[in-house]
Amino acid sequence: MKKNWKRKMPSWIFLLALLLIWQVLAGRMDAAYILPTPVQILKKMWELREPLFYEHLPATMSITLIGLMISIVLGVVLAILMDMSEVIEEALYPVVVVTQTIPTMAIAPLFVVWFGYGIWGKVLVTILVTFFPITITVFDGFKSVKREMIELLITYGASKKDIFIKLKMPAALPYFFSAIKMAVPLSIIGAAIGEWLGAQSGLGYFSRRMMTQLDGAGVFAPIVLLSVTAILLVAVITIAEKALVRWRNEM
């Protein structure tokens, strides 16, 4: 416990220093509608705690979790298909890469036009920004298996199914968790972008509404809440990773 605290202390000190600098500079500017201080943001979060925590946060998290679950399934399936066949890899890999060249801010309004202000337009934005890191990272995990290990299992009479389950899946598991930890913040960003461009609830929508009122602290409050939520989700995933991939810490 003490070792973990000592290891994390520099990051906490750096974070506190940044917050202190922010507090001083924003206080001297005295323009809260442009750059509120951290104290003003926390006060605003407390004042708006009921709509933020009971209405808009659940709306954003429902979009985030649905989009993330679909992205995980889609990404893992695509990674497995590309690992199964070089022909499939040659066909799918460029398409997966091309999807990331589409500007999210340009395509998101079209989703709103196609699907309206309901949940599915924003879910699609979330999927668009998250399935790529999952697909590519898990695929790299499959490819990280050494050829010598595969050939050794083949000499023992292992089938392709045995090699995949007993060798490739364990090798790809750390990559899978790394991909999820990358995808979680991206999924929250995707949900917020979708809400910003067209929604009736959600933290992105709330932030845009506060901007029209020139309420700087109100704009930052949902952003801070999104950041804290992302940090907590990544922490949960990290705990699950340590529990499921114990052998990684022994290497």
Side-chain angles (χ1 to χ4, degrees):
M1 189 71 178
K2 290 183 178 179
K3 290 182 179 180
N4 290 335
W5 173 251
K6 289 181 179 179
R7 188 172 67 248
K8 294 178 180 179
M9 186 176 292
S11 61
W12 284 108
I13 293 174
F14 181 68
L15 177 61
L16 291 174
L18 287 178
L19 290 174
L20 181 60
I21 294 170
W22 181 359
Q23 179 72 30
V24 172
L25 291 178
R28 289 186 177 182
M29 285 179 60
D30 194 23
Y33 63 93
I34 297 176
L35 184 64
T37 65
V39 173
Q40 290 172 329
I41 295 170
L42 290 176
K43 287 182 178 179
K44 181 63 68 171
M45 287 181 66
W46 178 252
E47 293 171 3
L48 301 173
R49 61 188 181 279
E50 289 190 5
L52 282 176
F53 285 91
Y54 297 109
E55 180 182 353
H56 299 290
L57 179 61
T60 300
M61 292 312 299
S62 63
I63 295 169
T64 299
L65 294 177
I66 293 172
L68 187 59
M69 291 300 104
I70 295 174
S71 290
I72 290 173
V73 174
L74 178 62
V76 171
V77 169
L78 288 176
I80 292 173
L81 289 175
M82 289 192 295
D83 180 69
M84 288 173 55
S85 168
E86 291 185 1
V87 175
I88 297 177
E89 177 187 350
E90 293 294 331
L92 291 181
Y93 199 98
V95 176
V96 173
V97 173
V98 166
T99 61
Q100 300 308 295
T101 64
I102 302 172
T104 305
M105 294 298 291
I107 197 69
L110 290 177
F111 290 156
V112 175
V113 173
W114 294 341
F115 298 97
Y117 290 103
I119 190 174
W120 292 109
K122 288 163 287 287
V123 168
L124 283 176
V125 176
T126 303
I127 295 171
L128 183 64
V129 298
T130 54
F131 90 95
F132 174 79
I134 296 173
T135 302
I136 299 303
T137 307
V138 174
F139 177 65
D140 287 343
F142 292 144
K143 291 299 182 183
S144 68
V145 177
K146 294 182 179 180
R147 183 65 188 174
E148 293 82 358
M149 295 294 296
I150 297 175
E151 292 175 350
L152 178 62
L153 287 184
I154 292 174
T155 59
Y156 284 110
S159 63
K160 289 185 177 181
K161 181 180 178 181
D162 294 330
I163 292 171
F164 180 79
I165 294 175
K166 297 180 180 179
L167 185 60
K168 290 193 173 185
M169 283 186 63
L173 196 57
Y175 290 80
F176 171 77
F177 280 107
S178 296
I180 301 304
K181 286 187 283 188
M182 286 189 291
V184 163
L186 291 174
S187 64
I188 292 177
I189 292 171
I193 290 174
E195 292 168 345
W196 183 281
L197 296 173
Q200 297 175 332
S201 62
L203 293 175
Y205 159 80
F206 187 83
S207 180
R208 181 172 61 85
R209 194 178 75 182
M210 291 295 101
M211 180 174 287
T212 61
Q213 300 175 12
L214 296 179
D215 187 342
V219 172
F220 275 86
I223 295 173
V224 171
L225 186 54
L226 285 172
S227 300
V228 172
T229 302
I231 291 170
L232 292 176
L233 288 175
V234 171
V236 171
I237 294 168
T238 301
I239 293 172
E241 179 184 13
K242 290 180 179 179
L244 295 174
V245 196
R246 295 180 181 177
W247 52 266
R248 190 179 190 184
N249 297 326
E250 298 174 356
M251 293 179 63

Coordinates of all heavy atoms in Angstrom, one line a residue, residues 16-106:
L16 N -2.0 18.6 -8.5 CA -2.3 19.7 -7.6 C -1.6 21.0 -8.0 O -2.2 22.1 -7.9 CB -1.9 19.3 -6.2 CG -2.7 18.2 -5.5 CD1 -2.1 17.8 -4.2 CD2 -4.1 18.7 -5.3
A17 N -0.4 20.9 -8.5 CA 0.3 22.1 -9.0 C -0.4 22.7 -10.2 O -0.6 23.9 -10.3 CB 1.7 21.7 -9.4
L18 N -0.9 21.8 -11.1 CA -1.7 22.4 -12.3 C -2.9 23.0 -11.8 O -3.3 24.1 -12.4 CB -2.0 21.2 -13.3 CG -0.8 20.6 -14.1 CD1 -1.3 19.5 -15.0 CD2 -0.2 21.7 -15.0
L19 N -3.7 22.4 -10.9 CA -4.9 23.0 -10.4 C -4.6 24.4 -9.7 O -5.4 25.3 -9.8 CB -5.6 22.1 -9.4 CG -6.2 20.8 -10.1 CD1 -6.7 19.9 -9.0 CD2 -7.3 21.2 -11.0
L20 N -3.5 24.4 -9.0 CA -3.2 25.7 -8.3 C -2.9 26.8 -9.3 O -3.3 27.9 -9.2 CB -2.0 25.4 -7.4 CG -1.5 26.7 -6.6 CD1 -2.6 27.2 -5.7 CD2 -0.3 26.3 -5.7
I21 N -2.1 26.4 -10.3 CA -1.8 27.4 -11.4 C -3.1 27.9 -12.1 O -3.3 29.1 -12.4 CB -0.8 26.8 -12.4 CG1 0.6 26.5 -11.7 CG2 -0.6 27.7 -13.6 CD1 1.5 25.7 -12.6
W22 N -3.9 26.9 -12.4 CA -5.2 27.2 -13.0 C -6.0 28.2 -12.1 O -6.6 29.2 -12.6 CB -6.0 25.9 -13.3 CG -7.3 26.1 -13.9 CD1 -7.9 27.3 -14.3 CD2 -8.2 25.0 -14.3 NE1 -9.2 27.0 -14.9 CE2 -9.4 25.7 -14.8 CE3 -8.2 23.7 -14.1 CZ2 -10.4 24.9 -15.3 CZ3 -9.3 22.9 -14.6 CH2 -10.4 23.5 -15.1
Q23 N -6.1 27.9 -10.8 CA -6.8 28.7 -9.9 C -6.3 30.2 -9.9 O -7.1 31.1 -9.9 CB -6.8 28.1 -8.5 CG -7.5 28.9 -7.4 CD -9.0 28.8 -7.5 OE1 -9.5 27.8 -8.0 NE2 -9.7 29.8 -7.1
V24 N -5.0 30.3 -9.8 CA -4.4 31.6 -9.7 C -4.6 32.4 -11.0 O -5.0 33.6 -11.0 CB -2.9 31.5 -9.4 CG1 -2.2 32.8 -9.5 CG2 -2.7 30.9 -8.0
L25 N -4.3 31.8 -12.2 CA -4.4 32.5 -13.5 C -5.9 32.9 -13.8 O -6.2 34.0 -14.2 CB -3.9 31.6 -14.6 CG -2.4 31.3 -14.6 CD1 -2.0 30.4 -15.7 CD2 -1.6 32.7 -14.7
A26 N -6.8 31.9 -13.5 CA -8.2 32.2 -13.8 C -8.7 33.3 -12.8 O -9.6 34.1 -13.2 CB -9.1 30.9 -13.7
G27 N -8.2 33.3 -11.6 CA -8.7 34.3 -10.6 C -8.2 35.7 -11.0 O -8.9 36.7 -10.9
R28 N -7.0 35.7 -11.6 CA -6.5 37.0 -12.0 C -7.2 37.5 -13.3 O -7.3 38.7 -13.5 CB -5.0 36.9 -12.3 CG -4.1 36.8 -11.0 CD -2.6 36.8 -11.3 NE -1.9 36.8 -10.0 CZ -0.5 36.8 -10.0 NH1 0.2 36.9 -11.1 NH2 0.1 36.7 -8.8
M29 N -7.6 36.6 -14.2 CA -8.3 37.0 -15.4 C -9.6 37.6 -15.0 O -10.1 38.5 -15.6 CB -8.5 35.8 -16.3 CG -7.3 35.4 -17.1 SD -7.6 34.0 -18.1 CE -8.9 34.6 -19.2
D30 N -10.3 37.1 -14.0 CA -11.6 37.5 -13.5 C -12.6 37.5 -14.7 O -13.3 38.5 -14.9 CB -11.5 38.9 -12.9 CG -12.7 39.2 -12.1 OD1 -13.5 38.3 -11.7 OD2 -13.0 40.4 -11.9
A31 N -12.6 36.4 -15.4 CA -13.5 36.3 -16.6 C -14.1 34.9 -16.5 O -13.7 34.1 -17.4 CB -12.8 36.6 -17.9
A32 N -15.0 34.6 -15.6 CA -15.5 33.3 -15.4 C -16.2 32.7 -16.5 O -16.4 31.5 -16.7 CB -16.4 33.2 -14.1
Y33 N -16.8 33.6 -17.4 CA -17.5 33.2 -18.6 C -16.6 32.6 -19.6 O -17.1 31.9 -20.5 CB -18.4 34.3 -19.2 CG -17.5 35.5 -19.7 CD1 -17.2 35.5 -21.0 CD2 -17.1 36.5 -18.8 CE1 -16.4 36.6 -21.5 CE2 -16.4 37.6 -19.3 CZ -16.0 37.6 -20.6 OH -15.3 38.7 -21.1
I34 N -15.3 32.9 -19.5 CA -14.3 32.3 -20.4 C -13.5 31.2 -19.8 O -13.4 30.1 -20.3 CB -13.3 33.4 -20.9 CG1 -14.1 34.5 -21.7 CG2 -12.2 32.8 -21.8 CD1 -13.2 35.6 -22.1
L35 N -13.0 31.5 -18.6 CA -12.2 30.5 -17.9 C -12.5 30.6 -16.4 O -11.9 31.4 -15.6 CB -10.7 30.7 -18.1 CG -9.7 29.7 -17.5 CD1 -9.9 28.3 -18.1 CD2 -8.2 30.2 -17.6
P36 N -13.4 29.7 -15.9 CA -13.7 29.7 -14.5 C -12.6 29.0 -13.7 O -11.8 28.2 -14.2 CB -15.0 28.9 -14.4 CG -14.9 28.0 -15.6 CD -14.2 28.8 -16.7
T37 N -12.5 29.3 -12.4 CA -11.5 28.6 -11.6 C -12.1 27.3 -11.2 O -13.3 27.0 -11.2 CB -11.3 29.5 -10.3 OG1 -12.5 29.5 -9.5 CG2 -10.9 30.9 -10.6
P38 N -11.2 26.4 -10.8 CA -11.6 25.0 -10.3 C -12.6 25.1 -9.2 O -13.6 24.3 -9.1 CB -10.3 24.4 -9.8 CG -9.2 25.0 -10.7 CD -9.7 26.4 -10.8
V39 N -12.4 26.1 -8.3 CA -13.4 26.2 -7.1 C -14.8 26.6 -7.7 O -15.8 26.1 -7.2 CB -12.9 27.3 -6.2 CG1 -13.9 27.6 -5.1 CG2 -11.6 26.8 -5.5
Q40 N -14.8 27.5 -8.6 CA -16.1 27.9 -9.2 C -16.8 26.7 -9.9 O -18.0 26.6 -9.9 CB -15.9 29.1 -10.2 CG -15.5 30.4 -9.6 CD -15.1 31.5 -10.6 OE1 -14.6 31.1 -11.6 NE2 -15.4 32.7 -10.2
I41 N -16.0 25.9 -10.6 CA -16.5 24.7 -11.3 C -17.1 23.7 -10.3 O -18.2 23.2 -10.5 CB -15.5 24.0 -12.1 CG1 -15.0 25.0 -13.3 CG2 -16.0 22.7 -12.7 CD1 -13.8 24.5 -14.0
L42 N -16.4 23.5 -9.2 CA -16.9 22.6 -8.1 C -18.2 23.1 -7.5 O -19.1 22.4 -7.2 CB -15.8 22.4 -7.1 CG -14.6 21.6 -7.5 CD1 -13.6 21.5 -6.4 CD2 -15.0 20.2 -7.9
K43 N -18.2 24.4 -7.3 CA -19.5 25.0 -6.7 C -20.6 24.9 -7.7 O -21.7 24.5 -7.3 CB -19.2 26.5 -6.4 CG -18.3 26.8 -5.2 CD -18.2 28.3 -5.0 CE -17.4 28.6 -3.8 NZ -17.2 30.1 -3.6
K44 N -20.4 25.1 -9.0 CA -21.4 24.9 -10.0 C -21.9 23.4 -10.0 O -23.1 23.2 -10.2 CB -20.9 25.4 -11.3 CG -21.9 25.3 -12.5 CD -23.1 26.2 -12.2 CE -22.8 27.6 -12.3 NZ -24.0 28.5 -12.3
M45 N -21.0 22.5 -9.9 CA -21.3 21.1 -9.9 C -22.2 20.8 -8.7 O -23.2 20.0 -8.9 CB -20.1 20.2 -9.9 CG -19.3 20.2 -11.2 SD -17.9 19.1 -11.1 CE -18.7 17.5 -10.9
W46 N -21.9 21.4 -7.6 CA -22.8 21.1 -6.4 C -24.2 21.8 -6.6 O -25.2 21.1 -6.3 CB -22.1 21.7 -5.2 CG -22.9 21.5 -3.9 CD1 -23.6 22.5 -3.2 CD2 -23.2 20.3 -3.2 NE1 -24.2 22.0 -2.2 CE2 -24.0 20.6 -2.1 CE3 -22.8 19.0 -3.5 CZ2 -24.4 19.7 -1.2 CZ3 -23.2 18.0 -2.5 CH2 -24.1 18.4 -1.5
E47 N -24.2 23.0 -7.2 CA -25.5 23.6 -7.4 C -26.4 22.9 -8.4 O -27.6 22.8 -8.2 CB -25.2 25.1 -7.9 CG -24.6 26.0 -6.9 CD -24.2 27.3 -7.5 OE1 -24.5 27.5 -8.7 OE2 -23.6 28.2 -6.8
L48 N -25.7 22.3 -9.4 CA -26.4 21.6 -10.4 C -26.4 20.1 -10.3 O -26.6 19.3 -11.3 CB -25.9 22.0 -11.8 CG -25.9 23.5 -12.2 CD1 -25.1 23.7 -13.5 CD2 -27.3 23.9 -12.3
R49 N -26.2 19.6 -9.1 CA -25.9 18.2 -8.9 C -27.1 17.3 -9.3 O -27.0 16.2 -9.8 CB -25.6 17.9 -7.4 CG -26.6 18.3 -6.4 CD -26.1 18.2 -5.0 NE -27.0 18.6 -3.9 CZ -27.3 19.8 -3.6 NH1 -26.7 20.8 -4.2 NH2 -28.2 20.0 -2.7
E50 N -28.3 17.8 -9.0 CA -29.5 17.0 -9.3 C -29.7 16.8 -10.8 O -29.8 15.6 -11.3 CB -30.8 17.6 -8.7 CG -30.8 17.5 -7.2 CD -32.1 17.9 -6.6 OE1 -33.1 18.2 -7.4 OE2 -32.3 18.0 -5.4
P51 N -29.7 17.8 -11.7 CA -29.8 17.6 -13.1 C -28.6 16.9 -13.7 O -28.7 16.0 -14.6 CB -30.0 19.0 -13.8 CG -29.5 19.9 -12.8 CD -29.7 19.3 -11.4
L52 N -27.4 17.2 -13.2 CA -26.2 16.5 -13.7 C -26.1 15.1 -13.4 O -25.9 14.2 -14.3 CB -24.9 17.2 -13.1 CG -24.6 18.6 -13.7 CD1 -23.4 19.2 -13.0 CD2 -24.2 18.5 -15.2
F53 N -26.4 14.7 -12.1 CA -26.2 13.3 -11.7 C -27.4 12.4 -12.0 O -27.2 11.2 -12.2 CB -25.8 13.3 -10.2 CG -24.4 13.7 -10.0 CD1 -24.1 15.0 -9.7 CD2 -23.3 12.7 -10.0 CE1 -22.7 15.4 -9.4 CE2 -22.0 13.1 -9.8 CZ -21.7 14.4 -9.5
Y54 N -28.6 13.0 -11.9 CA -29.8 12.2 -12.0 C -30.5 12.2 -13.4 O -31.3 11.4 -13.7 CB -30.8 12.6 -10.9 CG -30.3 12.4 -9.5 CD1 -30.0 13.5 -8.7 CD2 -30.1 11.2 -9.0 CE1 -29.5 13.4 -7.5 CE2 -29.7 11.0 -7.7 CZ -29.3 12.1 -6.9 OH -28.8 11.9 -5.7
E55 N -30.1 13.1 -14.2 CA -30.7 13.2 -15.5 C -29.7 13.1 -16.7 O -29.8 12.2 -17.5 CB -31.5 14.6 -15.7 CG -32.1 14.7 -17.0 CD -32.8 16.1 -17.2 OE1 -32.9 16.8 -16.2 OE2 -33.3 16.4 -18.3
H56 N -28.7 14.0 -16.7 CA -27.8 14.0 -17.8 C -26.7 13.0 -17.8 O -26.3 12.4 -18.8 CB -27.2 15.4 -17.9 CG -28.2 16.5 -18.1 ND1 -28.9 16.6 -19.3 CD2 -28.7 17.5 -17.3 CE1 -29.8 17.6 -19.2 NE2 -29.7 18.1 -18.0
L57 N -26.1 12.7 -16.6 CA -25.1 11.6 -16.5 C -25.6 10.3 -16.9 O -25.0 9.6 -17.7 CB -24.5 11.6 -15.1 CG -23.4 10.5 -14.9 CD1 -22.2 10.7 -15.8 CD2 -22.9 10.5 -13.4
P58 N -26.8 9.8 -16.4 CA -27.3 8.5 -16.9 C -27.6 8.5 -18.4 O -27.4 7.4 -19.0 CB -28.7 8.4 -16.1 CG -28.4 9.2 -14.9 CD -27.6 10.4 -15.3
A59 N -28.0 9.6 -19.0 CA -28.3 9.6 -20.4 C -27.0 9.4 -21.2 O -26.9 8.6 -22.1 CB -28.9 11.0 -20.8
T60 N -25.9 10.1 -20.8 CA -24.6 10.0 -21.4 C -24.1 8.6 -21.2 O -23.5 8.0 -22.2 CB -23.6 11.0 -20.9 OG1 -24.1 12.3 -21.2 CG2 -22.3 10.9 -21.6
M61 N -24.2 8.0 -20.0 CA -23.6 6.7 -19.8 C -24.3 5.6 -20.5 O -23.7 4.6 -20.8 CB -23.6 6.5 -18.2 CG -22.6 7.3 -17.5 SD -21.0 7.4 -18.2 CE -20.5 5.7 -18.1
S62 N -25.6 5.7 -20.7 CA -26.4 4.7 -21.4 C -25.8 4.7 -22.9 O -25.6 3.6 -23.4 CB -27.9 5.0 -21.4 OG -28.2 6.2 -22.0
I63 N -25.6 5.8 -23.5 CA -25.1 5.9 -24.8 C -23.7 5.3 -24.8 O -23.3 4.5 -25.7 CB -25.1 7.3 -25.3 CG1 -26.5 7.9 -25.5 CG2 -24.3 7.4 -26.7 CD1 -26.5 9.4 -25.8
T64 N -22.9 5.7 -23.9 CA -21.5 5.2 -23.8 C -21.4 3.7 -23.7 O -20.7 3.0 -24.4 CB -20.8 5.9 -22.6 OG1 -20.8 7.3 -22.8 CG2 -19.3 5.4 -22.5
L65 N -22.2 3.1 -22.8 CA -22.1 1.7 -22.5 C -22.6 0.9 -23.7 O -22.1 -0.2 -24.0 CB -22.8 1.4 -21.2 CG -22.2 1.9 -19.9 CD1 -23.0 1.6 -18.7 CD2 -20.8 1.4 -19.7
I66 N -23.7 1.3 -24.3 CA -24.3 0.6 -25.4 C -23.3 0.6 -26.6 O -23.0 -0.4 -27.2 CB -25.6 1.2 -25.8 CG1 -26.7 0.9 -24.8 CG2 -26.1 0.6 -27.2 CD1 -28.0 1.7 -25.0
G67 N -22.8 1.8 -26.9 CA -21.8 2.0 -28.0 C -20.6 1.2 -27.7 O -20.0 0.5 -28.6
L68 N -20.1 1.2 -26.4 CA -18.9 0.4 -26.1 C -19.1 -1.1 -26.2 O -18.2 -1.8 -26.7 CB -18.4 0.8 -24.7 CG -17.1 0.3 -24.2 CD1 -15.9 0.8 -25.1 CD2 -16.8 0.7 -22.8
M69 N -20.2 -1.6 -25.8 CA -20.5 -3.0 -25.8 C -20.5 -3.5 -27.3 O -20.0 -4.5 -27.7 CB -21.8 -3.3 -25.1 CG -21.8 -3.2 -23.6 SD -20.5 -4.3 -22.8 CE -19.2 -3.1 -22.4
I70 N -21.2 -2.7 -28.1 CA -21.3 -3.0 -29.6 C -19.9 -3.0 -30.2 O -19.5 -3.8 -31.0 CB -22.2 -2.1 -30.3 CG1 -23.7 -2.3 -29.8 CG2 -22.2 -2.3 -31.8 CD1 -24.7 -1.3 -30.4
S71 N -19.1 -2.0 -29.8 CA -17.7 -1.8 -30.4 C -16.9 -3.0 -29.9 O -16.0 -3.5 -30.7 CB -17.1 -0.5 -29.9 OG -17.7 0.6 -30.5
I72 N -17.0 -3.5 -28.7 CA -16.2 -4.6 -28.2 C -16.5 -5.8 -29.0 O -15.6 -6.5 -29.5 CB -16.5 -4.8 -26.7 CG1 -15.9 -3.7 -25.9 CG2 -15.9 -6.2 -26.3 CD1 -16.2 -3.8 -24.4
V73 N -17.8 -6.1 -29.2 CA -18.2 -7.3 -30.0 C -17.8 -7.2 -31.4 O -17.1 -8.1 -32.0 CB -19.8 -7.5 -29.9 CG1 -20.2 -8.6 -30.9 CG2 -20.2 -7.8 -28.5
L74 N -18.0 -6.0 -32.0 CA -17.6 -5.8 -33.4 C -16.1 -5.9 -33.6 O -15.6 -6.5 -34.5 CB -18.1 -4.4 -33.9 CG -17.8 -4.0 -35.3 CD1 -18.4 -5.0 -36.3 CD2 -18.3 -2.6 -35.6
G75 N -15.4 -5.2 -32.7 CA -13.9 -5.2 -32.8 C -13.3 -6.5 -32.6 O -12.4 -6.9 -33.4
V76 N -13.8 -7.3 -31.7 CA -13.2 -8.6 -31.4 C -13.5 -9.6 -32.6 O -12.7 -10.4 -33.0 CB -13.7 -9.2 -30.1 CG1 -13.3 -10.7 -30.0 CG2 -13.2 -8.4 -28.9
V77 N -14.8 -9.5 -33.1 CA -15.1 -10.3 -34.2 C -14.3 -10.0 -35.5 O -13.8 -10.9 -36.1 CB -16.6 -10.2 -34.6 CG1 -17.0 -10.8 -35.9 CG2 -17.5 -10.8 -33.5
L78 N -14.1 -8.7 -35.8 CA -13.3 -8.3 -36.9 C -11.8 -8.8 -36.7 O -11.2 -9.3 -37.7 CB -13.3 -6.8 -37.1 CG -14.6 -6.2 -37.6 CD1 -14.6 -4.7 -37.7 CD2 -14.9 -6.8 -39.0
A79 N -11.3 -8.7 -35.5 CA -9.9 -9.1 -35.2 C -9.8 -10.6 -35.4 O -8.8 -11.1 -36.0 CB -9.5 -8.7 -33.8
I80 N -10.8 -11.4 -35.0 CA -10.7 -12.9 -35.2 C -10.8 -13.2 -36.6 O -10.1 -14.1 -37.1 CB -11.9 -13.5 -34.4 CG1 -11.7 -13.4 -32.9 CG2 -12.0 -15.0 -34.8 CD1 -12.9 -13.8 -32.1
L81 N -11.7 -12.5 -37.4 CA -11.8 -12.8 -38.8 C -10.5 -12.5 -39.5 O -10.1 -13.3 -40.4 CB -13.0 -12.0 -39.4 CG -14.4 -12.4 -39.0 CD1 -15.4 -11.4 -39.6 CD2 -14.7 -13.8 -39.5
M82 N -9.9 -11.4 -39.2 CA -8.6 -11.0 -39.9 C -7.5 -12.0 -39.5 O -6.6 -12.3 -40.3 CB -8.2 -9.6 -39.5 CG -9.1 -8.5 -40.2 SD -8.5 -6.9 -40.1 CE -8.5 -6.6 -38.3
D83 N -7.6 -12.5 -38.3 CA -6.5 -13.5 -37.9 C -6.7 -14.8 -38.5 O -5.8 -15.6 -38.8 CB -6.6 -13.6 -36.3 CG -5.5 -14.6 -35.9 OD1 -4.3 -14.3 -35.9 OD2 -5.9 -15.7 -35.4
M84 N -8.0 -15.2 -38.9 CA -8.3 -16.5 -39.5 C -7.8 -16.6 -40.9 O -7.3 -17.7 -41.3 CB -9.8 -16.7 -39.5 CG -10.4 -17.0 -38.1 SD -12.2 -17.0 -38.2 CE -12.5 -18.3 -39.4
S85 N -7.8 -15.5 -41.6 CA -7.4 -15.6 -43.0 C -6.7 -14.3 -43.5 O -7.1 -13.2 -43.2 CB -8.7 -15.8 -43.9 OG -8.5 -15.6 -45.2
E86 N -5.6 -14.5 -44.2 CA -4.9 -13.4 -44.8 C -5.8 -12.6 -45.8 O -5.6 -11.4 -46.0 CB -3.6 -13.8 -45.4 CG -2.6 -14.3 -44.4 CD -1.2 -14.6 -45.0 OE1 -1.1 -14.4 -46.3 OE2 -0.3 -15.0 -44.3
V87 N -6.6 -13.4 -46.5 CA -7.5 -12.8 -47.5 C -8.5 -11.8 -46.9 O -8.7 -10.7 -47.3 CB -8.3 -13.8 -48.3 CG1 -9.3 -13.2 -49.3 CG2 -7.3 -14.7 -49.1
I88 N -9.1 -12.3 -45.8 CA -10.0 -11.4 -45.0 C -9.2 -10.2 -44.4 O -9.8 -9.1 -44.4 CB -10.7 -12.2 -43.9 CG1 -11.5 -13.4 -44.5 CG2 -11.5 -11.3 -43.0 CD1 -12.1 -14.3 -43.5
E89 N -8.0 -10.5 -44.0 CA -7.2 -9.3 -43.4 C -7.0 -8.3 -44.5 O -7.1 -7.1 -44.2 CB -5.9 -9.9 -42.9 CG -4.9 -8.8 -42.4 CD -3.6 -9.3 -42.0 OE1 -3.4 -10.5 -42.0 OE2 -2.7 -8.5 -41.8
E90 N -6.6 -8.7 -45.7 CA -6.3 -7.8 -46.8 C -7.6 -7.0 -47.2 O -7.5 -5.9 -47.6 CB -5.7 -8.5 -48.0 CG -4.4 -9.1 -47.8 CD -3.3 -8.1 -47.6 OE1 -3.5 -6.9 -48.1 OE2 -2.3 -8.3 -46.9
A91 N -8.7 -7.7 -47.0 CA -10.0 -7.0 -47.4 C -10.5 -6.1 -46.4 O -11.0 -5.0 -46.7 CB -11.0 -8.1 -47.7
L92 N -10.4 -6.5 -45.1 CA -11.0 -5.7 -44.0 C -10.1 -4.6 -43.5 O -10.5 -3.5 -43.1 CB -11.4 -6.6 -42.9 CG -12.6 -7.5 -43.1 CD1 -12.9 -8.3 -41.9 CD2 -13.8 -6.7 -43.5
Y93 N -8.8 -4.9 -43.4 CA -7.9 -3.9 -42.7 C -7.9 -2.5 -43.3 O -8.0 -1.5 -42.6 CB -6.4 -4.5 -42.8 CG -5.5 -3.9 -41.7 CD1 -5.2 -4.5 -40.5 CD2 -4.9 -2.6 -41.9 CE1 -4.4 -4.0 -39.6 CE2 -4.1 -2.1 -41.0 CZ -3.8 -2.7 -39.8 OH -3.0 -2.2 -38.8
P94 N -7.8 -2.4 -44.6 CA -7.9 -1.0 -45.2 C -9.3 -0.3 -44.9 O -9.3 0.9 -44.6 CB -7.8 -1.2 -46.7 CG -7.1 -2.5 -46.8 CD -7.6 -3.4 -45.7
V95 N -10.4 -1.1 -44.9 CA -11.7 -0.5 -44.6 C -11.7 0.0 -43.2 O -12.2 1.1 -42.9 CB -12.8 -1.6 -44.8 CG1 -14.1 -1.0 -44.4 CG2 -12.8 -2.0 -46.3
V96 N -11.2 -0.8 -42.2 CA -11.1 -0.4 -40.8 C -10.3 0.9 -40.7 O -10.7 1.8 -39.9 CB -10.5 -1.5 -40.0 CG1 -10.3 -1.0 -38.5 CG2 -11.4 -2.7 -40.0
V97 N -9.2 1.0 -41.4 CA -8.4 2.2 -41.3 C -9.1 3.4 -41.9 O -9.1 4.5 -41.3 CB -7.0 2.0 -42.0 CG1 -6.2 3.3 -42.1 CG2 -6.2 0.9 -41.3
V98 N -9.8 3.2 -43.0 CA -10.5 4.3 -43.7 C -11.6 4.9 -42.8 O -11.8 6.1 -42.8 CB -11.1 3.8 -45.0 CG1 -12.1 4.8 -45.6 CG2 -10.0 3.6 -46.1
T99 N -12.2 4.0 -42.0 CA -13.3 4.6 -41.1 C -12.8 5.6 -40.2 O -13.5 6.5 -39.7 CB -13.9 3.5 -40.3 OG1 -12.9 2.8 -39.5 CG2 -14.6 2.4 -41.2
Q100 N -11.5 5.6 -39.9 CA -10.9 6.5 -38.9 C -10.5 7.8 -39.6 O -10.0 8.8 -39.0 CB -9.7 5.9 -38.2 CG -10.0 4.7 -37.4 CD -11.2 5.0 -36.5 OE1 -11.1 5.8 -35.5 NE2 -12.3 4.3 -36.7
T101 N -10.5 7.9 -40.9 CA -10.2 9.1 -41.7 C -11.5 10.0 -41.8 O -11.3 11.1 -42.3 CB -9.7 8.8 -43.1 OG1 -10.7 8.2 -43.9 CG2 -8.4 7.9 -43.0
I102 N -12.6 9.5 -41.4 CA -13.9 10.2 -41.5 C -13.9 11.2 -40.3 O -13.9 10.8 -39.2 CB -15.1 9.3 -41.5 CG1 -15.0 8.3 -42.6 CG2 -16.4 10.1 -41.6 CD1 -16.1 7.3 -42.6
P103 N -14.0 12.5 -40.6 CA -14.1 13.5 -39.4 C -15.4 13.3 -38.6 O -16.5 13.3 -39.2 CB -14.1 14.8 -40.1 CG -13.5 14.6 -41.5 CD -13.9 13.2 -41.9
T104 N -15.2 13.0 -37.4 CA -16.4 12.7 -36.5 C -17.4 13.9 -36.5 O -18.6 13.7 -36.6 CB -16.0 12.4 -35.1 OG1 -15.0 11.3 -35.1 CG2 -17.1 11.9 -34.2
M105 N -16.8 15.1 -36.4 CA -17.7 16.3 -36.3 C -18.4 16.5 -37.6 O -19.5 17.2 -37.6 CB -16.8 17.5 -36.0 CG -16.2 17.5 -34.6 SD -17.4 17.4 -33.3 CE -18.1 19.1 -33.5
A106 N -17.9 15.9 -38.7 CA -18.6 16.1 -40.0 C -19.7 15.1 -40.2 O -20.8 15.4 -40.8 CB -17.6 16.0 -41.2

